[in-house]
Amino acid sequence: MSEPLVFHYEVDGSDFTSAGTASVAVKKSLRQLGLPSEVIRKLSIAMYEGEINMVIHANGGTADVLVTEDYVDIILKDSGPGIPDVEKAMQEGYSTATAEIHSLGFGAGMGLPNMKRYSDEMSIETELGVGTTIKMRIHMN
Amino acid sequence: MKISTVKDILNAKVLCGEEELGRHVYSACGCDMMSDVLAYVKDQAVLLTGLVNPQVVRTAEMMDMVCIVFVRSKQPTEAILTLARNAGIVVMATDMRLYEACGRLYINGLQKDEVKQDV
């Protein structure tokens, strides 16, 4: 595998019930590639949380997954409102989600912390009114 | 613990995945907040919840969980069951409340960490 394999997904921000479909699809593709199950699980949970966040906060966006021999990268990009205080958003339990989102089982303030928990490297670039790009890397070993 | 034993203990009705009742679960999580499930649970677990929406199935699928129990007689839609079938996840429903359902599984040997000996 010299060139990285790339998977690209559009995340629909209009429908909460379909949130997570890209993560399900990527999980299936990576299983077919025969990646280690622990890597697949970490990646799919991290991506799923990111997808949910994009639907809740940013009206959707794009998700790209790059698979190389040594690592897998997930790049989540949205054109949402941006994150005003990243440090606060990284705290477990801190959430700006609405009561409606809580009733759907999310908005517990665990999304970004879980993304950090399951990835080996994570960076957040965000600008108010412009959008947010989150990059996560998971090593194969 | 076999999924069929979970069914018997909870007096639950199987809604899909009948053919998978012989599989084993090694831990359980009772929770309505899916992000909490995503933070803590191990694989081959059973998820007990009072939340009924497609994200419950997707959460279980991401965690490689093999069984979902809806408590308090909550009935999932056919769309939710179709997602579960496609993911190979057993879905059942029990009249019990979340607290009682978790408690009964716990005292019968399904505890938070992997059970060494099958029950």
Side-chain angles (χ1 to χ4, degrees):
Chain A
M1 217 195 296
S2 50
E3 291 287 311
L5 269 173
V6 182
F7 300 91
H8 176 79
Y9 302 92
E10 300 286 332
V11 177
D12 180 2
S14 63
D15 180 13
F16 183 80
T17 58
S18 70
T21 47
S23 304
V24 171
V26 90
K27 182 162 193 170
K28 281 184 182 145
S29 300
L30 297 185
R31 266 196 187 143
Q32 283 166 3
L33 285 175
L35 263 60
S37 57
E38 193 57 32
V39 171
I40 296 176
R41 189 190 312 171
K42 284 164 73 176
L43 178 140
S44 50
I45 295 170
M47 181 168 162
Y48 179 55
E49 287 280 21
E51 234 189 298
I52 295 280
N53 269 353
M54 282 201 283
V55 174
I56 293 175
H57 297 290
N59 197 30
T62 59
D64 289 279
V65 178
L66 281 74
V67 185
T68 74
E69 275 181 34
D70 301 322
Y71 57 82
V72 184
D73 278 347
I74 312 165
I75 300 156
L76 305 170
K77 194 171 169 57
D78 69 59
S79 306
I83 304 169
D85 188 336
V86 173
E87 203 179 319
K88 224 175 186 179
M90 289 304 299
Q91 290 172 9
E92 289 195 2
Y94 177 79
S95 174
T96 57
T98 60
E100 189 199 347
I101 297 301
H102 291 149
S103 73
L104 294 166
F106 288 89
M110 295 300 289
L112 283 170
N114 275 349
M115 289 158 74
K116 192 170 173 59
R117 176 177 284 126
Y118 289 107
S119 56
D120 297 316
E121 295 170 38
M122 175 167 146
S123 68
I124 302 175
E125 284 171 32
T126 186
E127 194 178 340
L128 292 183
V130 177
T132 300
T133 300
I134 297 183
K135 291 180 187 169
M136 292 177 281
R137 175 165 291 183
I138 294 159
H139 299 294
M140 289 293 183
N141 297 309
Chain B
M1 180 183 287
K2 272 190 178 177
I3 296 177
S4 57
T5 310
V6 173
K7 171 186 176 286
D8 293 342
I9 291 169
L10 301 181
N11 195 22
K13 185 180 168 196
V14 177
L15 304 177
C16 78
E18 188 91 38
E19 65 283 359
E20 305 281 355
L21 291 183
R23 292 180 72 183
H24 286 75
V25 288
Y26 297 95
S27 61
C29 176
C31 199
D32 287 349
M33 293 306 283
M34 293 302 106
S35 280
D36 283 340
V37 178
L38 290 163
Y40 300 116
V41 173
K42 298 173 177 180
D43 65 349
Q44 272 190 275
V46 51
L47 172 62
L48 299 100
T49 186
L51 182 74
V52 183
N53 69 40
Q55 302 307 343
V56 174
V57 178
R58 292 214 182 89
T59 299
E61 189 173 3
M62 291 304 128
M63 301 300 291
D64 300 317
M65 295 169 110
V66 291
C67 178
I68 298 168
V69 181
F70 290 109
V71 297
R72 302 195 303 275
S73 307
K74 301 249 177 130
Q75 288 297 318
T77 61
E78 192 51 42
I80 293 173
L81 292 176
T82 301
L83 276 179
R85 271 188 210 103
N86 291 340
I89 295 170
V90 180
V91 176
M92 46 182 122
T94 175
D95 293 344
M96 291 177 200
R97 287 166 177 270
L98 184 57
Y99 180 76
E100 183 184 0
C102 292
R104 283 183 186 263
L105 292 180
Y106 193 93
I107 58 171
N108 279 284
L110 190 63
Q111 303 192 354
K112 66 176 181 175
D113 292 317
E114 193 164 316
V115 178
K116 294 283 182 278
Q117 201 178 353
D118 261 335
V119 287

